[in-house]
Amino acid sequence: MTQNIKILSFAAALLLVSCHNNEKMLDSLADYNNSKEKKGYHFGDQLELPKEVTDNAESITITLDDKETSSLTIDPKFFTLGDNKVVFTIKTKGREVLNQDATINVFTKNSEQNIPYNIVADYPHDPKNFVEGFLIEGNTIYESDGLLNTSQLIKYTLGSSTPEIIKKQPADIFSEGCAIVGDKIYQLTYRNKIGFIYDKKTLNEISKFPLANAIGEGWGLTYDGKNLVATDGSKNLYFLDVNDPSKVVKTVAVAGNTQTYDQLNEVEYHSGFIYANVWQKPIVLKINPVTGEAVGVFDFKDIVKENNKGSDDVLNGIAFKGDNMLVTGKNWSKIYEVQIK
């Protein structure tokens, strides 16, 4: 009986030691991850995990969505720019399995450049319009306005706030971003999970398409000459097959040198770059669409302050008139023409 008690006591002591070691490993891993989260990593960097982890681990794997790796290199084939929600799985030398959630932020090596500009003109805009999509072709504005019961697609001449054509949409439709492709206009909806295709000349509806499951919500939309490019309020640009907009061709995540840019909203393609505003922020990003790197930023806080009379009156309209940018927002009374220096 005494011998059994000794054995049980020894086993209990081993268990306590093991639990203590496991707790120490997880604490040290958490401290390491927390210390790196703000600073982040760049592609090619190594995860230099604490000795408490590496000395006591038989194997370490990282899971991201449905992918898994045992490499501790920040590899662009595995990680994306911005925040990566991962799970570390540690198999200890005592054959126990430990799991810990973490965020691995991957930033760009180069800082975003502040892009200077001059406001060279302004034009009237109907302040009743809750702008979601904003385009110009020639001197004609195509605008998608949101909210339930008031969503519409309209067409008017720059300089006039009176529409030439109004396409009212059903009360349950919340319209979002739009893009011109040839003689058609493609338009997203917020949570209706469908998109519309219209005749550009008449704004008559041609067809509908379901939004891809990968796109949580419809936000912004543009056309890069090959693919439609959509946003859903995340850090991602979704490149869609223009002949089958329900199909995602590729996804590119966006980040800068020190931060992830999520809540990407209205987007515009111009001269090889994607321009995107960030919801509730007075900025427009210039993005490399191949890498997702935010290479530049426009600071529009002064014109936002002039037009922001409520929490919803945010910057949300980008279009290009030649090489000048047109900027407007939800319920703004003006459209600004900006000359980029």
Side-chain angles (χ1 to χ4, degrees):
M1 190 72 170
T2 304
Q3 184 67 23
N4 287 340
I5 291 173
K6 287 181 178 179
I7 292 171
L8 288 172
S9 297
F10 181 69
L14 285 178
L15 182 60
L16 285 171
V17 170
S18 175
C19 288
H20 177 72
N21 287 340
N22 291 348
E23 187 176 321
K24 191 175 180 182
M25 289 174 67
L26 291 177
D27 285 347
S28 64
L29 180 59
D31 289 344
Y32 171 77
N33 286 327
N34 290 337
S35 70
K36 294 291 290 185
E37 191 169 328
K38 185 174 182 180
K39 183 179 179 182
Y41 298 89
H42 302 115
F43 288 129
D45 287 351
Q46 294 290 318
L47 293 170
E48 298 177 353
L49 301 183
K51 281 179 61 64
E52 288 87 353
V53 175
T54 55
D55 287 353
N56 294 287
E58 183 178 298
S59 66
I60 302 168
T61 58
I62 302 171
T63 304
L64 174 62
D65 298 328
D66 58 350
K67 303 178 292 184
E68 186 175 278
T69 184
S70 57
S71 171
L72 298 181
T73 301
I74 304 299
D75 188 340
K77 293 179 181 178
F78 185 81
F79 296 97
T80 68
L81 281 175
D83 56 330
N84 295 264
K85 308 294 185 182
V86 304
V87 178
F88 283 89
T89 300
I90 303 167
K91 184 176 180 182
T92 71
K93 290 179 179 177
R95 299 196 174 182
E96 294 173 278
V97 177
L98 310 176
N99 293 305
Q100 188 174 94
D101 296 337
T103 298
I104 292 178
N105 285 320
V106 182
F107 299 132
T108 62
K109 291 185 177 180
N110 299 314
S111 298
E112 305 93 304
Q113 299 298 306
N114 290 317
I115 303 175
Y117 62 89
N118 289 322
I119 297 173
V120 295
D122 61 61
Y123 308 90
H125 180 259
D126 190 336
K128 297 191 298 296
N129 293 353
F130 197 78
V131 178
E132 298 290 0
F134 186 69
L135 308 166
I136 188 168
E137 188 174 71
N139 211 36
T140 301
I141 297 285
Y142 298 86
E143 183 177 298
S144 175
D145 300 319
L147 296 178
L148 298 175
N149 299 304
T150 60
S151 284
Q152 60 184 5
L153 182 65
I154 59 175
K155 178 179 179 180
Y156 59 94
T157 301
L158 181 64
S160 169
S161 58
T162 303
E164 298 169 18
I165 303 176
I166 302 174
K167 172 68 177 181
K168 292 287 185 182
Q169 291 167 304
D172 65 329
I173 294 294
F174 192 129
S175 297
E176 283 282 350
C178 57
I180 294 173
V181 181
D183 59 358
K184 299 181 179 68
I185 296 177
Y186 291 69
Q187 182 192 50
L188 299 181
T189 58
Y190 180 34
R191 290 178 173 170
N192 300 95
K193 298 298 289 186
I194 58 171
F196 295 96
I197 302 175
Y198 301 94
D199 179 273
K200 184 178 70 178
K201 184 176 180 180
T202 63
L203 301 191
N204 291 332
E205 183 183 319
I206 297 171
S207 61
K208 298 182 181 72
F209 59 90
L211 263 63
N213 289 332
I215 301 175
E217 299 173 344
W219 283 42
L221 190 68
T222 190
Y223 179 58
D224 68 1
K226 181 179 180 182
N227 299 118
L228 291 163
V229 185
T231 62
D232 66 351
S234 68
K235 66 176 181 178
N236 293 326
L237 300 172
Y238 299 94
F239 291 74
L240 312 179
D241 185 337
V242 71
N243 297 311
D244 181 6
S246 302
K247 180 181 177 183
V248 177
V249 176
K250 66 176 179 177
T251 302
V252 175
V254 176
N257 182 244
T258 60
Q259 63 181 304
T260 296
Y261 288 108
D262 61 355
Q263 296 192 312
L264 298 177
N265 200 353
E266 225 268 303
V267 283
E268 181 74 10
Y269 177 83
H270 179 70
S271 296
F273 291 92
I274 297 284
Y275 293 80
N277 81 287
V278 179
W279 187 62
Q280 293 284 2
K281 292 189 177 181
I283 61 172
V284 169
L285 302 175
K286 181 180 181 180
I287 302 165
N288 182 326
V290 176
T291 63
E293 179 179 357
V295 298
V297 59
F298 294 85
D299 182 350
F300 289 127
K301 64 177 178 291
D302 289 340
I303 61 173
V304 168
K305 185 178 180 180
E306 182 180 332
N307 290 275
N308 192 346
K309 298 176 176 58
S311 61
D312 290 331
D313 300 345
V314 295
L315 171 69
N316 201 51
I318 308 165
F320 274 88
K321 180 175 175 278
D323 285 328
N324 286 356
M325 182 189 293
L326 297 181
V327 179
T328 192
K330 302 177 189 294
N331 304 125
W332 287 18
S333 61
K334 290 182 181 179
I335 298 167
Y336 298 85
E337 182 174 346
V338 168
Q339 182 183 54
I340 301 169
K341 293 182 181 179

